[in-house]
Amino acid sequence: MVFHILGVVIILLVSASPSGRADPAPVQYSAINCRKHTAVLTDFGAVGDGKTLNTKAFETAVANLSQFAADGGAQLIVPAGKWLTGSFNLTSHFTLFLHKDAVILGSQVNMEDWPLVAPLPSFGTAADGSTGARHASLLFGANLTDVVITGNNGTIDGQGAKWWDDFKNKKLKDARPFLVEIQSTDQLQISNVTFTNSPMWNVHPVYCSNVVIQGVTILAPVEVPNTDGINPDSCTNIRIEDCYIASGDDCIAVKSGIDQYGIKVGKPTKQLAIRRVTCVSPDSAVVALGSEMSGGIQDVRIEDVTAINCQSGIRIKTAVGRGGYVKDIFARRMTMSGMEKVFWMSGAYKSHADGGFDPNALPVVHNINYRDVVAQNVTVSAILDGLEKAHFTGICISNVTLNLGPAARELQWNCTNVSGTTSRVTPKPCDELPEKAGDCPFPEDKLPIDDVVLKSCSTA
Ligand SMILES: *[C@@H]1O[C@H](CO)[C@@H](O)[C@H](O)[C@H]1NC(C)=O
Ligand SMILES: *[C@@H]1O[C@H](CO)[C@@H](O)[C@H](O)[C@H]1NC(C)=O
Ligand SMILES: *[C@@H]1O[C@H](CO)[C@@H](O)[C@H](O)[C@H]1NC(C)=O
Ligand SMILES: *[C@@H]1O[C@H](CO)[C@@H](O)[C@H](O)[C@H]1NC(C)=O
Ligand SMILES: *[C@@H]1O[C@H](CO)[C@@H](O)[C@H](O)[C@H]1NC(C)=O
Ligand SMILES: *[C@@H]1O[C@H](CO)[C@@H](O)[C@H](O)[C@H]1NC(C)=O
Ligand SMILES: *[C@@H]1O[C@H](CO)[C@@H](O)[C@H](O)[C@H]1NC(C)=O
Ligand SMILES: *[C@@H]1O[C@H](CO)[C@@H](O)[C@H](O)[C@H]1NC(C)=O
Ligand SMILES: CC(=O)N[C@H]1CO[C@H](CO)[C@@H](O)[C@@H]1O
């Protein structure tokens, strides 16, 4: 496990606050912005016994602290304890800080704890096979500025088992909730928190800009469907770093809406850096691009990835009807083991929002660059399956050594309707990707998000 556990000073002393209650001693943390005002969840009547429903307490706290948005912002400290809650909204210039022994538990009690929200305009429908609405995520927010969800590795536990059963047994009318969905927000940080047992996706920033996701641990049972780790969706300028994700679906799934809905909204995901991520995903990809990519995906930089027992390394998924593009994709330094397929591109990923897609909307897949990759125990090196009417072009793969495992197939490279080049790749690639000396490019310039320096803040 290449997940770095860095030291942090946690002062274990307990001091008395002016109100007489025992506050945990202040903890230092890093954030895009520190806050002038501080409150503790218990100030609002919350009870951390794992049984009392605290939705009202969270809502009251956020409403109360939202009054400080224009006055230095506020942070809400979630102390040690088990805080059962339904879905609640966040606010602007706001930090939710989870103490290391704080666990926010998703309510399983009844559907009223999970109000319905409208489908996203770029998806048209609720997804999840549902034609109805979708349940709001446990932590939800829309049209905000400057939101931080962080902690000393406290936990957000969706207690998803009942949702998974109901989904499998087709008992749900509306789509399952996510753990976190933040819409249309500028400046978002999610860091040093563990997400577990999500009913569906874990972390979903959508229509956001300037996003930092760091030091997040995501643990989902690998046999549960659609428990994607992090889904940057129609977002600009994002970095995802130092995360450990074990999931029943893609560890990171980059999206931008689907078919006619995504084309109409036209919001790409671009300027995305993914660094130092470890992924376990036996049924899906380390990084998936698509299949919802109709608003476009451009300028994605993936480096220093570790993959253990994954169905694929990087997967591009698209279909006739999607339109949009996946272009200027760069990956380097991937170390993998137990890989069913290392490189996978699928032009015929036939799932549609509904029948209203335009059969003439062809996706463009171009300028895809993979280099410095080592893999052990590989079954298939690559399946690169472009579209007859829209070949995937400008594929470059260099300095790649794939060591085959016991179940290796005879056909290691199956390429159709694709073109590009390779250099120093074993096993020998397909004829569609002839040898050409030189390394594939990786951008040397920084993304704007790399200029964001985190400040040192305190929970005091
Ligand atoms: C955070 O907690 C998770 C789950 O308990 C653990 O697997 C992970 O190693 C922890 N991360 C850090 C940085 O302590
Ligand atoms: C996350 O925690 C580590 C220490 O475990 C610290 O070095 C890092 O700055 C923190 N990052 C953020 C964004 O909070
Ligand atoms: C909430 O806001 C009001 C008005 O600023 C303040 O008087 C009150 O103490 C705050 N805290 C709680 C716990 O209600
Ligand atoms: C949460 O935000 C959504 C979207 O802005 C809104 O429809 C809903 O009423 C809010 N819920 C609460 C409890 O404020
Ligand atoms: C966010 O604001 C836009 C523009 O005012 C609005 O159309 C949209 O419904 C809002 N989103 C939510 C979830 O409230
Ligand atoms: C090879 O990878 C498969 C998963 O693709 C895994 O189940 C198996 O244990 C691995 N074998 C070895 C020797 O690592
Ligand atoms: C080739 O890839 C390996 C493994 O990532 C790396 O150690 C090595 O430096 C690369 N070679 C060149 C010439 O870039
Ligand atoms: C290779 O890919 C093509 C197109 O996806 C598929 O029809 C064919 O069955 C594959 N061949 C093998 C041997 O898997
Ligand atoms: C133009 C071209 O090369 N088309 C090929 C696309 O892939 C199919 C197989 O999936 C081939 O039959 C076509 O010849």
Side-chain angles (χ1 to χ4, degrees), residues 81-313:
K82 289 189 163 65
W83 310 95
L84 185 72
T85 181
S87 165
F88 63 94
N89 288 350
L90 304 180
T91 188
S92 292
H93 304 289
F94 176 77
T95 296
L96 185 72
F97 184 95
L98 278 79
H99 180 278
K100 69 177 168 49
D101 297 318
V103 183
I104 295 180
L105 289 173
S107 153
Q108 297 182 299
V109 184
N110 66 48
M111 289 295 180
E112 280 153 44
D113 300 338
W114 301 87
L116 296 175
V117 290
L120 292 163
S122 56
F123 282 72
T125 61
D128 202 20
S130 158
T131 51
R134 51 193 202 113
H135 293 279
S137 59
L138 189 60
L139 276 58
F140 185 74
N143 293 323
L144 305 177
T145 305
D146 179 15
V147 176
V148 176
I149 300 167
T150 189
N152 259 328
N153 201 22
T155 300
I156 298 179
D157 181 345
Q159 302 205 90
K162 186 166 187 308
W163 290 103
W164 307 330
D165 285 347
D166 286 355
F167 175 71
K168 278 185 208 148
N169 297 327
K170 299 196 177 352
K171 280 206 236 158
L172 295 175
K173 194 164 124 309
D174 304 296
R176 286 172 285 169
F178 310 148
L179 285 184
V180 178
E181 179 173 282
I182 307 292
Q183 292 182 28
S184 309
T185 291
D186 181 48
Q187 301 176 59
L188 170 65
Q189 172 181 335
I190 301 175
S191 61
N192 288 352
V193 171
T194 293
F195 295 94
T196 186
N197 299 316
S198 179
M200 197 176 158
W201 298 352
N202 282 271
V203 175
H204 185 218
V206 55
Y207 318 136
C208 291
S209 50
N210 304 311
V211 179
V212 174
I213 298 179
Q214 201 205 23
V216 162
T217 303
I218 297 178
L219 306 170
V222 294
E223 68 279 3
V224 176
N226 312 114
T227 51
D228 298 18
I230 302 171
N231 292 7
D233 189 356
S234 295
C235 290
T236 300
N237 206 28
I238 320 157
R239 61 184 212 231
I240 299 174
E241 301 173 324
D242 306 304
C243 294
Y244 178 91
I245 305 171
S247 161
D249 210 302
D250 302 316
C251 286
I252 297 175
V254 184
K255 299 180 185 290
S256 64
I258 186 168
D259 296 350
Q260 70 274 25
Y261 303 105
I263 293 171
K264 187 167 173 218
V265 171
K267 283 202 171 84
T269 289
K270 59 181 187 192
Q271 298 178 312
L272 165 63
I274 297 171
R275 304 181 178 121
R276 300 181 303 275
V277 166
T278 297
C279 169
V280 180
S281 176
D283 291 309
S284 290
V286 178
V287 177
L289 304 160
S291 77
E292 303 90 340
M293 41 62 70
S294 301
I297 295 174
Q298 183 171 23
D299 193 357
V300 178
R301 307 168 183 199
I302 303 162
E303 51 190 334
D304 300 306
V305 162
T306 303
I308 303 154
N309 290 352
C310 294
Q311 186 192 41
S312 64

Side-chain angles (χ1 to χ4, degrees), residues 375-388:
Q376 311 299 332
N377 186 6
V378 168
T379 302
V380 172
S381 297
I383 297 180
L384 308 178
D385 186 17
L387 284 161
E388 170 119 53

